[in-house]
Amino acid sequence: MIKSSHLKCAVAGLVLLATLRCQSQPLWDLANENKGLLKIATLFTAQNVRDHLGTGEGISKAIDWCKKTGVTHVFIETFRSRYTAERETLERAKSRFEAGGFEVSGCVTTTQVGKISTGWNLISCYTNKGTQKSLQEIFEYTASMFDEIMIDDFLFTDCQCDECEKARGDRTWADYRCELMVGMSRERILGPARAVNPDVKIIIKYPQWYDNFHNRGYEVSRETADYDRIWVGTETRDYADKRWGGKVQYEAYYIMRWLGEIGGPKTGGGWFDPYGTTENTYVEQARQTVLADAKEMLLFCYSSLLRDNGPANVEKLRTEIPGLFRLAGLVRNKPLKGILAPKPPNSDAYDEQYVFDFVGMLGLPLVPTAEISSDAKAAFFSVHAIKDPNLTKKLKKMLAAQKPVLMTDGLARRLDNVNLDDEDLIILKVNGKPRSLLELNRKQLKPIRDKLLAPFGIRFDAPNEVALYLIGEDCLIVENFNDEPVDVSVEFSKPVKAHKTLVLPIDGDVRLSCSRRRLNFSTITPRTLAAVEY
Ligand SMILES: [Zn+2]
């Protein structure tokens, strides 16, 4: 016999559950309708699996949170920092999520595997055979449960122990580490995982620090060719944050587009986190990731989004998700128009680290690329370009065709044989401090923008830190990263009819008027994105 109090409890529970379901349905339904365009994912780290997915109740809570957040794809991690999640817990969580209508993949974070590096204490020494064996076992274990496995962005090494030193011989550290990690991937990850599970697809997720990849053994050409899929770290966080700061928002866009070109159809999503962010800078990461044509965005990670600034960030993101789907629709499969901005793979940045990010913040619409093509209508060249042995030839060809070129002072210093007084060439004074570009004012930026944008029949006038994106033939996006409202104008060489199609955040205010050849944004509120079609 059931006691009536138990029955009441059960009924109340069901009512609560039904209410929860009702409340969570709209974003979940929308996310399912749009997942072919843009998927929203999250990660349960190995420790999250232990702490949050160990009980039926914990899994139910996680499912509810995902549905409310539009998350339709979950990554369940097997290993991170010496901890291996238990098979039984992983398998139960996987089947519960699948039964709930989710796509489920695995994940591995290769921190603290085997022998620890002489450098960062989260990183391992991969010259060491014991580390190699442990790495292999982790991937065999994971491939026995999952058909897709993401590798978080710790698959590199900074070790300089005696073993590494001896194995390196007379090669540079960059060359040795690239060889080592390409070999690790083939022999200790891809081969063994595929032997256990012939259907497994493995994703290499590249970190955000693209100018240092090769120095620590990330080799985007060969690794992208070897792996089934690639993903991208887009966690720019808050430029001003003391602990996590120093990255401008455009970096997420630059790296996602740059790797998107390298990876082609292998390119999956971008991945960002809540550390050192406010609600405003958190959602800027999402916008830049989606603007850069990511097919998916991953919200790292479940436990971090439940504490500190996580809940407020997620609350704000939820309000932007319908707009982010529209943004994905505006950029998908559209060619970019703009200034070629090449970083050849494995190129050194010297004292122009991440200069592309800062140049993008100046309101110059960049076309991130790995290759220098003199077919481009306009180009920006930094010291990275020296990696291309044909740089001088290509540069001369562009200048001979009277195409505008913006070149850093660092590159100009390193080139002989090029006429630096050419009237189509502008030297950008970086002075070895890319961040100093943020100090350029509107008046100083105008001649640079006018020259570089002339081949596209556009003039753009705005303060610094207002980015411009030219998408396809008929879409233009402006994003104000300032904490103050700005006024902006765009002038076309021929008459246009334009209308505003998207504003983010949802309470952003963008006042647009259009008269013949001119678009006038009399106001764009702080940290606001506006898309215009014409
Ligand atoms: Zn070592």
Side-chain angles (χ1 to χ4, degrees):
M1 198 181 111
I2 303 170
K3 280 193 192 159
S4 78
S5 63
H6 284 185
L7 195 64
K8 265 184 203 155
C9 249
V11 169
L14 282 174
V15 169
L16 183 69
L17 205 66
T19 315
L20 283 174
R21 237 176 232 158
C22 260
Q23 283 171 350
S24 64
Q25 283 312 75
L27 221 41
W28 170 249
D29 291 344
L30 188 73
N32 274 295
E33 282 158 27
N34 284 281
K35 63 187 180 188
L37 181 63
L38 173 70
K39 252 183 251 175
I40 306 173
T42 196
L43 172 73
F44 296 87
T45 65
Q47 289 77 10
N48 288 179
V49 170
R50 179 191 62 205
D51 301 340
H52 293 275
L53 303 182
T55 65
E57 194 197 345
I59 299 173
S60 297
K61 264 193 191 163
I63 286 178
D64 185 54
W65 181 91
C66 288
K67 290 193 168 181
K68 280 188 175 133
T69 312
V71 167
T72 61
H73 187 186
V74 295
F75 288 81
I76 300 179
E77 192 176 78
T78 58
F79 179 91
R80 174 178 293 251
S81 297
R82 298 217 187 281
Y83 177 71
T84 306
E86 285 169 20
R87 180 180 288 274
E88 200 194 325
T89 314
L90 289 161
E91 286 181 337
R92 190 178 50 219
K94 180 172 182 262
S95 55
R96 279 283 313 273
F97 273 107
E98 281 171 348
F102 291 84
E103 193 181 330
V104 185
S105 303
C107 186
V108 169
T109 297
T110 55
T111 42
Q112 298 182 323
V113 180
K115 179 181 163 186
I116 299 303
S117 165
T118 56
W120 191 6
N121 64 4
L122 283 182
I123 303 307
S124 300
C125 168
Y126 288 100
T127 308
N128 180 270
K129 290 283 185 255
T131 305
Q132 295 186 12
K133 189 167 162 282
S134 302
L135 184 70
Q136 176 167 343
E137 285 165 2
I138 293 165
F139 281 92
E140 286 167 342
Y141 176 64
T142 311
S144 73
M145 286 174 271
F146 295 96
D147 287 337
E148 182 178 70
I149 304 169
M150 174 104 75
I151 309 174
D152 193 5
D153 56 16
F154 290 87
L155 190 62
F156 65 91
T157 186
D158 59 355
C159 188
Q160 297 194 18
C161 75
D162 292 346
E163 254 184 291
C164 285
E165 189 70 77
K166 196 167 156 227
R168 168 171 85 109
D170 52 13
R171 285 175 283 183
T172 63
W173 279 114
D175 284 349
Y176 173 63
R177 288 171 182 160
C178 284
E179 282 306 312
L180 178 68
M181 298 317 291
V182 166
M184 275 313 97
S185 296
R186 289 174 184 168
E187 291 150 28
R188 300 293 188 165
I189 297 176
L190 294 166
R194 287 167 182 163
V196 168
N197 177 0
D199 294 328
V200 76
K201 303 288 179 218
I202 303 195
I203 304 167
I204 184 165
K205 179 212 156 192
Y206 293 113
Q208 195 187 292
W209 34 271
Y210 60 84
D211 264 343
N212 261 314
F213 282 176
H214 57 300
N215 294 326
R216 296 174 179 170
Y218 271 115
E219 216 280 38
V220 293
S221 302
R222 283 184 289 168
E223 289 183 330
T224 301
D226 288 347
Y227 280 92
D228 300 295
R229 287 163 196 157
I230 68 165
W231 270 60
V232 184
T234 56
E235 64 280 26
T236 48
R237 301 164 180 153
D238 210 321
Y239 185 72
D241 189 84
K242 282 209 174 68
R243 177 166 175 207
W244 304 95
K247 295 294 180 181
V248 282
Q249 293 89 339
Y250 201 87
E251 180 165 303
Y253 180 80
Y254 185 85
I255 187 180
M256 189 78 225
R257 286 277 181 187
W258 181 68
L259 284 168
E261 188 209 51
I262 291 169
K266 286 189 175 185
T267 314
W271 159 319
F272 53 88
D273 62 43
Y275 309 127
T277 63
T278 60
E279 293 100 288
N280 291 340
T281 46
Y282 182 72
V283 295
E284 281 172 344
Q285 303 179 113
R287 294 180 203 153
Q288 293 299 300
T289 302
V290 175
L291 253 177
D293 208 17
K295 298 185 193 85
E296 195 158 345
M297 58 178 191
L298 185 142
L299 319 178
F300 179 90
C301 64
Y302 181 61
S303 63
S304 292
L305 293 170
L306 295 184
R307 61 167 196 256
D308 304 329
N309 55 340
N313 284 346
V314 170
E315 207 42 60
K316 173 102 174 179
L317 180 72
R318 286 170 178 160
T319 67
E320 296 210 4
I321 286 172
L324 290 168
F325 287 133
R326 292 215 301 284
L327 187 60
L330 288 173
V331 300
R332 181 58 34 84
N333 295 329
K334 296 234 190 88
L336 281 184
K337 206 155 64 171
I339 302 154
L340 196 78
K343 173 183 164 68
N346 311 319
S347 54
D348 284 316
Y350 303 95
D351 59 357
E352 292 180 359
Q353 300 269 333
Y354 308 101
V355 67
F356 305 101
D357 314 347
F358 295 94
V359 171
M361 296 298 280
L362 305 180
L364 294 171
L366 302 184
V367 179
T369 180
E371 286 193 34
I372 301 176
S373 161
S374 41
D375 294 338
K377 288 183 178 172
F380 163 66
F381 294 128
S382 56
V383 291
H384 304 74
I386 292 171
K387 183 83 178 172
D388 184 337
N390 296 315
L391 171 65
T392 307
K393 205 165 79 190
K394 292 174 180 177
L395 176 62
K396 283 184 172 171
K397 194 174 165 195
M398 289 193 76
L399 292 174
Q402 296 185 308
K403 292 174 174 175
V405 171
L406 180 68
M407 180 190 290
T408 62
D409 49 357
L411 177 60
R413 265 200 313 278
R414 288 170 168 90
L415 291 179
D416 331 303
N417 234 338
V418 173
N419 174 18
L420 298 176
D421 296 323
D422 191 295
E423 65 174 35
D424 293 304
L425 181 65
I426 299 180
I427 308 290
L428 184 68
K429 291 197 179 63
V430 178
N431 296 317
K433 292 188 200 78
R435 61 173 56 199
S436 67
L437 295 173
L438 298 180
E439 288 157 24
L440 292 172
N441 64 35
R442 189 171 191 147
K443 215 168 147 190
Q444 292 167 313
L445 290 171
K446 185 144 186 14
I448 302 174
R449 290 171 179 153
D450 285 354
K451 184 91 181 167
L452 272 290
L453 289 173
F456 309 100
I458 283 180
R459 280 167 179 252
F460 181 62
D461 184 33
N464 206 322
E465 298 189 55
V466 179
L468 173 68
Y469 311 82
L470 303 175
I471 312 291
E473 285 309 309
D474 54 5
C475 176
L476 168 158
I477 291 168
V478 177
E479 188 163 1
N480 175 17
F481 294 115
N482 292 280
D483 284 317
E484 299 82 41
V486 293
D487 69 286
V488 169
S489 72
V490 185
E491 231 180 279
F492 293 85
S493 53
K494 49 185 181 218
V496 289
K497 276 199 175 127
H499 58 283
K500 204 166 53 178
T501 48
L502 175 67
V503 173
L504 285 173
I506 53 168
D507 57 355
D509 186 11
V510 173
R511 301 204 187 142
L512 174 69
S513 60
C514 176
S515 63
R516 280 185 55 76
R517 299 191 296 111
R518 193 180 159 90
L519 297 186
N520 205 37
F521 299 83
S522 62
T523 285
I524 302 178
T525 41
R527 304 208 177 250
T528 298
L529 171 150
V532 169
E533 286 179 277
Y534 55 91

